[in-house]
Amino acid sequence: MKKYISYLFLLLFIITACKKENTTETTTNQSTVNSKTAFQPENIKEKILYQRAVDAAIWGIPAVNFQLMYKEMEKQNGAYNQIVYWPGLLSWKNQTLTPNPDVIYLMPFFNTEKGPVVLEIPPADNGVFNGSVMNYWQAAIEDVGPGGLDKGKGGKYIILPPGYDKSKIPAGYFIMQSDTYRGYALLRSVLKSGSPADVKAAVDYSKRVKLYPYSEASNAPQTIFVDATKAVYDSSIKYDDSFYATLNEIVQQEPFLERDRAMIDPLRTIGIERGKNFSPDAKTKEIFKAAVNEARDWLIYNYEKTKPFYEGTNWFFPADEENITSVKNSFQIKEIYPIDNRAVCYMIAFFSAKHLGESQYYLMTLKDKDGNLLKGDTSYRLTVPANVPVKQYWSMTVYNRETHTFIRDMKWAGRSSQTPGIKKNSDGTVTLYFGPKPPPKGENNWVPTDPKGDFEILARFYGPTPALFDQSWKLTDIEKVN
């Protein structure tokens, strides 16, 4: 009996030991399985590639926006140190981001790699310019015209390349020290009215601008103007792998600014490196497309959450205080670098002003009074209060919400205080209509929309006065017309 019990205990011991061995083997096998499925090199590489591509898109969108505009100029047979312009009011064929259809547009593109470039601005006599000179990040170097350094007297602005000794420049120039070799100016020749005669006068005034190399100042060559009305000028941002090809182009052309050196390694991770060929494979292009759209989703989220200008309304100004402060201080304040808000702004627009609010100001809306997105198949109404606080003019312009460009094939994009035939109410207010069909009162105060898409509205105030900023004058929300 004792012998039988001993054998029984021995058998139980063996069984228990086998169970422990099996359990250990199972745990080991599970560990092996986990090590094969979690964070293997090919997976972590794609994950980091994706994350860094998202960050690169947010950081690089102003440069991509600039490069796309310049490449469109090249398609029109233009080049650096020439001026692309539109000899008339803009039509939908100008597919830049939220352009102004009520002024004459000029865009001098400069490259100072071979030395300084001179931009001559005429005095505000038979016309007036509203504009700024910017580096390729579209950060304003300085403003020109009445709101700029010349204060409307005109003059010669000299754009210096990075590191150029300013003491070499004689008196008589407004010096603009650029931290990049490439850049552009956005000049708007402002109309006295919307009449054909005043449109022509604004075009004639715009042709008095000059752009030439400083090295040829003693015998300045004739400025080359590139007419951009001969074809569609499409610099809208493409949210696919081509975004990174465009970003690579500008990285190859320009040295990194000191503040952006932290991006050198992340860009190398996604295949963008100065002096190296950029050739992503099919899988990488697929990742790029997903990443740039993730970046876009993040920017749209921030765009829609922008703090309202007037409390309790849906009107807002896209640039936040850190962004405005950064532009004013040439991004030299070390404690801030608002790349998120900067990206929001250049997702929807181009241009920045050094002294925002002196020559122009902007408000946007995406929603109606009830907080719903503006739909192209719906009719809306907006009554602009009397005595709009401007010295020059005000306007309301409609853009495609998806692309932030003029809606294609529309006969006009907005209405302004200078629109010929616009009707005022007896109390001085102006009622505007937005929708796929004109109201019964006719087309004078109507802006067409695309019934197949959403839209947004940009309100412009040229020559704004204090009543805009202290909000003693106030816009109300867009209302749906039942």
Side-chain angles (χ1 to χ4, degrees):
M1 185 68 179
K2 288 182 180 180
K3 187 175 181 181
Y4 174 79
I5 292 173
S6 297
Y7 276 120
L8 182 59
F9 275 113
L10 178 61
L11 181 60
L12 288 172
F13 175 81
I14 293 172
I15 292 171
T16 301
C18 287
K19 282 184 178 181
K20 286 182 178 179
E21 184 177 348
N22 288 337
T23 300
T24 302
E25 183 178 353
T26 300
T27 302
T28 302
N29 287 341
Q30 187 63 46
S31 251
T32 304
V33 170
N34 287 341
S35 69
K36 287 181 180 179
T37 58
F39 303 108
Q40 286 298 304
E42 64 270 22
N43 294 329
I44 188 63
K45 180 181 178 181
E46 289 185 0
K47 183 176 181 179
I48 295 301
L49 174 62
Y50 175 80
Q51 290 174 346
R52 291 190 169 180
V54 171
D55 291 339
I58 295 169
W59 168 78
I61 200 168
V64 168
N65 190 333
F66 164 84
Q67 185 72 353
L68 290 172
M69 289 191 293
Y70 176 70
K71 289 172 72 174
E72 283 299 299
M73 182 188 186
E74 282 190 325
K75 290 179 183 178
Q76 311 278 356
N77 297 316
Y80 278 115
N81 300 331
Q82 298 177 2
I83 300 176
V84 62
Y85 85 122
W86 285 260
L89 298 179
L90 302 183
S91 73
W92 68 264
K93 290 185 178 181
N94 182 309
Q95 287 286 296
T96 55
L97 304 184
T98 57
N100 187 344
D102 299 299
V103 292
I104 304 303
Y105 259 35
L106 299 90
M107 295 170 67
F109 281 87
F110 64 83
N111 186 342
T112 62
E113 285 181 312
K114 295 181 179 180
V117 173
V118 178
L119 175 67
E120 288 192 23
I121 300 296
D125 44 28
N126 296 326
V128 60
F129 277 125
N130 179 331
S132 302
V133 178
M134 295 157 279
N135 64 12
Y136 83 81
W137 284 104
Q138 304 194 65
I141 302 170
E142 253 307 342
D143 301 334
V144 303
L149 296 180
D150 64 270
K151 302 301 180 184
K153 296 179 181 179
K156 297 179 180 180
Y157 289 81
I158 186 165
I159 306 164
L160 306 182
Y164 194 89
D165 184 357
K166 290 189 282 188
S167 66
K168 294 181 179 180
I169 306 301
Y173 287 93
F174 294 111
I175 294 177
M176 290 191 169
Q177 178 66 69
S178 178
D179 54 3
T180 66
Y181 292 101
R182 291 161 183 78
Y184 78 109
L186 176 60
L187 307 178
R188 311 170 194 84
S189 183
V190 181
L191 279 60
K192 293 180 180 178
S193 78
S195 71
D198 282 339
V199 170
K200 182 181 183 304
V203 173
D204 292 343
Y205 179 74
S206 70
K207 296 297 288 290
R208 291 168 60 185
V209 173
K210 296 180 181 179
L211 182 71
Y212 52 85
Y214 174 61
S215 61
E216 301 178 40
S218 60
N219 187 23
Q222 184 175 355
T223 299
I224 297 175
F225 287 84
V226 180
D227 186 342
T229 60
K230 298 175 182 178
V232 174
Y233 195 96
D234 187 359
S235 62
S236 58
I237 297 173
K238 309 300 186 291
Y239 293 92
D240 55 27
D241 61 279
S242 69
F243 182 100
Y244 297 92
T246 304
L247 180 59
N248 176 67
E249 289 175 7
I250 199 71
V251 168
Q252 298 302 328
Q253 293 169 356
E254 290 275 349
F256 280 93
L257 298 178
E258 184 63 27
R259 67 172 182 259
D260 291 321
R261 293 186 68 250
M263 287 300 298
I264 294 174
D265 222 32
L267 288 173
R268 183 187 291 126
T269 304
I270 67 173
I272 296 177
E273 185 174 1
R274 279 180 59 80
K276 299 290 182 69
N277 185 46
F278 179 66
S279 54
D281 57 24
K283 180 64 175 178
T284 301
K285 288 182 178 180
E286 181 184 336
I287 293 171
F288 280 166
K289 184 175 181 181
V292 74
N293 277 281
E294 182 87 349
R296 186 189 192 190
D297 287 345
W298 169 240
L299 299 180
I300 290 173
Y301 171 81
N302 283 276
Y303 182 43
E304 294 180 352
K305 297 295 183 182
T306 306
K307 180 181 176 181
F309 183 77
Y310 305 110
E311 188 175 351
T313 75
N314 292 301
W315 290 101
F316 64 91
F317 181 70
D320 65 18
E321 287 302 319
E322 285 195 353
N323 196 356
I324 295 169
T325 300
S326 294
V327 172
K328 284 183 178 179
N329 293 277
S330 302
F331 284 85
Q332 294 303 306
I333 299 177
K334 294 183 179 180
E335 290 77 12
I336 57 174
Y337 191 14
I339 60 171
D340 277 355
N341 185 252
R342 183 180 71 176
V344 168
C345 292
Y346 292 108
M347 172 185 73
I348 63 171
F350 66 100
F351 162 78
S352 68
K354 192 75 170 181
H355 307 287
L356 182 68
E358 291 190 16
S359 293
Q360 71 284 311
Y361 200 74
Y362 311 91
L363 293 175
M364 293 198 74
T365 189
L366 316 173
K367 301 175 181 178
D368 64 17
K369 185 178 180 180
D370 298 321
N372 299 314
L373 291 175
L374 301 174
K375 300 291 184 180
D377 62 356
T378 303
S379 294
Y380 301 89
R381 177 179 55 238
L382 168 67
T383 297
V384 180
N387 304 313
V388 181
V390 292
K391 297 175 185 176
Q392 295 176 347
Y393 76 95
W394 61 265
S395 67
M396 298 285 169
T397 310
V398 163
Y399 300 97
N400 181 328
R401 171 79 194 288
E402 181 70 14
T403 61
H404 313 290
T405 60
F406 289 144
I407 299 173
R408 286 177 176 260
D409 299 313
M410 294 296 165
K411 51 187 176 180
W412 57 73
R415 284 292 183 252
S416 81
S417 56
Q418 295 186 329
T419 300
I422 194 167
K423 297 178 180 179
K424 290 186 177 181
N425 300 319
S426 58
D427 59 357
T429 62
V430 176
T431 302
L432 300 177
Y433 298 88
F434 308 87
K437 296 179 181 179
K441 295 182 179 181
E443 297 186 348
N444 297 67
N445 291 33
W446 168 67
V447 184
T449 60
D450 180 1
K452 297 179 182 178
D454 295 350
F455 68 95
E456 56 199 2
I457 299 174
L458 177 60
R460 285 181 170 87
F461 304 90
Y462 268 49
T465 61
L468 177 65
F469 303 108
D470 66 23
Q471 300 189 12
S472 56
W473 182 93
K474 182 177 179 180
L475 273 176
T476 55
D477 278 328
I478 308 289
E479 294 184 304
K480 185 177 178 180
V481 178
N482 295 323

